[in-house]
Structure formats: C-alpha cells, structure tokens
C-alpha cells in the first residue's frame, strides 16, 4: 500500500465528518443544546394535535379514514413541514 492510498483512506472520512457536522443545527434552550429535529418533532406533535382537534370539532374526522393511519401521518406531515420551513437551507 502506498502512502497516497493510505492517506486517501484516512482523509476521506475525516473530511466528510468535518463537513457533515454542520448538517444538524443545534438550538440553545435555557443553556441546554438540543438538536433541531427534536424541536421539530415536538412542534409537529403540537401542530398535529391542534389540527386533529379542529377536524374533530368540525366533524370531519370520520371521513378521513382509520385514525391509526391518519394521526401518525398528520404528525409526520407537520414535522416535515416545520423542518422545511425553519431549517432548509
């Protein structure tokens, strides 16, 4: 094995790790750093609960389909939309 090939095997993971560290934004909440995806999951949960409450309030929930499929899908949709609105660059 030559010096160049061993350098390449070592340099590629180090360089990619260096550039991939910026992929996960961190938020400081009262001095504690949280990954942004945790915040998006919690905000998506709250948004989906509000949307589901509105659907039940307006009597539209029975027309959506099985709640076991609809509620987690609504949660995922809200989470992904929040991530795209606030953290897509």
């Amino acid at each position: 094995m030559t010096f160049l090939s061993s350098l390449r095997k070592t340099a590629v993971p180090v360089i990619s790790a260096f550039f991939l560290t910026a992929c996960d934004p961190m938020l400081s909440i009262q001095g504690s750093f949280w990954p942004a995806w945790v915040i998006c999951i919690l905000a998506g949960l709250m948004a989906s609960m509000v949307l589901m409450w509105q659907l039940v309030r307006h009597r539209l929930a029975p027309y959506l389909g099985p709640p076991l499929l609809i509620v987690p899908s609504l949660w995922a949709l809200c989470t992904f939309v929040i991530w795209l609105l606030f953290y897509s660059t």
Side-chain angles (χ1 to χ4, degrees):
M1 217 157 74
T2 65
F3 175 72
L4 228 72
S5 67
S6 66
L7 180 66
R8 213 177 288 154
K9 284 184 179 181
T10 306
V12 170
V14 170
I15 291 171
S16 64
F18 176 73
F19 285 114
L20 291 176
T21 56
C23 291
D24 191 20
M26 301 293 280
L27 303 173
S28 176
I29 300 175
Q30 293 188 358
S32 177
F33 287 98
W34 290 77
W37 58 267
V38 172
I39 306 302
C40 289
I41 286 176
L42 295 175
L45 177 63
M46 291 298 163
S48 65
M49 288 172 60
V50 168
L51 285 173
M52 199 63 199
W53 174 67
Q54 289 295 322
L55 290 170
V56 169
R57 184 173 164 244
H58 292 291
R59 295 186 180 105
L60 296 173
Y63 300 107
L64 294 177
L68 194 59
L69 179 65
I70 298 302
V71 174
S73 300
L74 187 61
W75 183 11
L77 176 71
C78 291
T79 300
F80 298 147
V81 166
I82 290 170
W83 176 267
L84 287 174
L85 285 176
F86 292 108
Y87 298 106
S88 68
T89 55

